[in-house]
Amino acid sequence: MRVDCDKVYEGIILGNGDTICNINYLKGIGVTHVLNTAEHHVEVNPAKFGCYGIQYYGFHVDDLPESNI
């Protein structure tokens, strides 16, 4: 897996689809919450996150300048 993420603010990271799928990596860096805005493109099992103590919320936003996040 190609894990790729950047710290954008203390306690907040921005990662790619491979990163969100690597739950052991997320736990290892202290992630407690995941917000997946590409839910239609990055398929995960939300129930798995709860088993690791990570809260998950997913929805889909088109990656377009006119998208209203």
Side-chain angles (χ1 to χ4, degrees), residues 51-66:
C51 296
Y52 288 84
I54 298 174
Q55 292 187 31
Y56 174 91
Y57 182 76
F59 61 98
H60 178 77
V61 176
D62 289 323
D63 189 10
L64 300 170
E66 63 270 10

Side-chain angles (χ1 to χ4, degrees), residues 1-6 13-20 22 25:
M1 277 194 180
R2 188 173 119 7
V3 174
D4 184 21
C5 64
D6 295 298
I13 63 167
L14 181 64
N16 65 10
D18 288 335
T19 304
I20 192 177
N22 191 330
Y25 175 76

Side-chain angles (χ1 to χ4, degrees), residues 4-67:
D4 184 21
C5 64
D6 295 298
K7 180 178 171 182
V8 294
Y9 192 75
E10 188 62 41
I12 298 176
I13 63 167
L14 181 64
N16 65 10
D18 288 335
T19 304
I20 192 177
C21 292
N22 191 330
I23 297 176
N24 287 324
Y25 175 76
L26 296 176
K27 278 304 284 183
I29 63 171
V31 170
T32 59
H33 294 73
V34 168
L35 178 62
N36 178 6
T37 61
E39 195 165 61
H40 294 152
H41 301 289
V42 179
E43 294 187 26
V44 297
N45 178 355
K48 279 179 116 177
F49 291 91
C51 296
Y52 288 84
I54 298 174
Q55 292 187 31
Y56 174 91
Y57 182 76
F59 61 98
H60 178 77
V61 176
D62 289 323
D63 189 10
L64 300 170
E66 63 270 10
S67 292

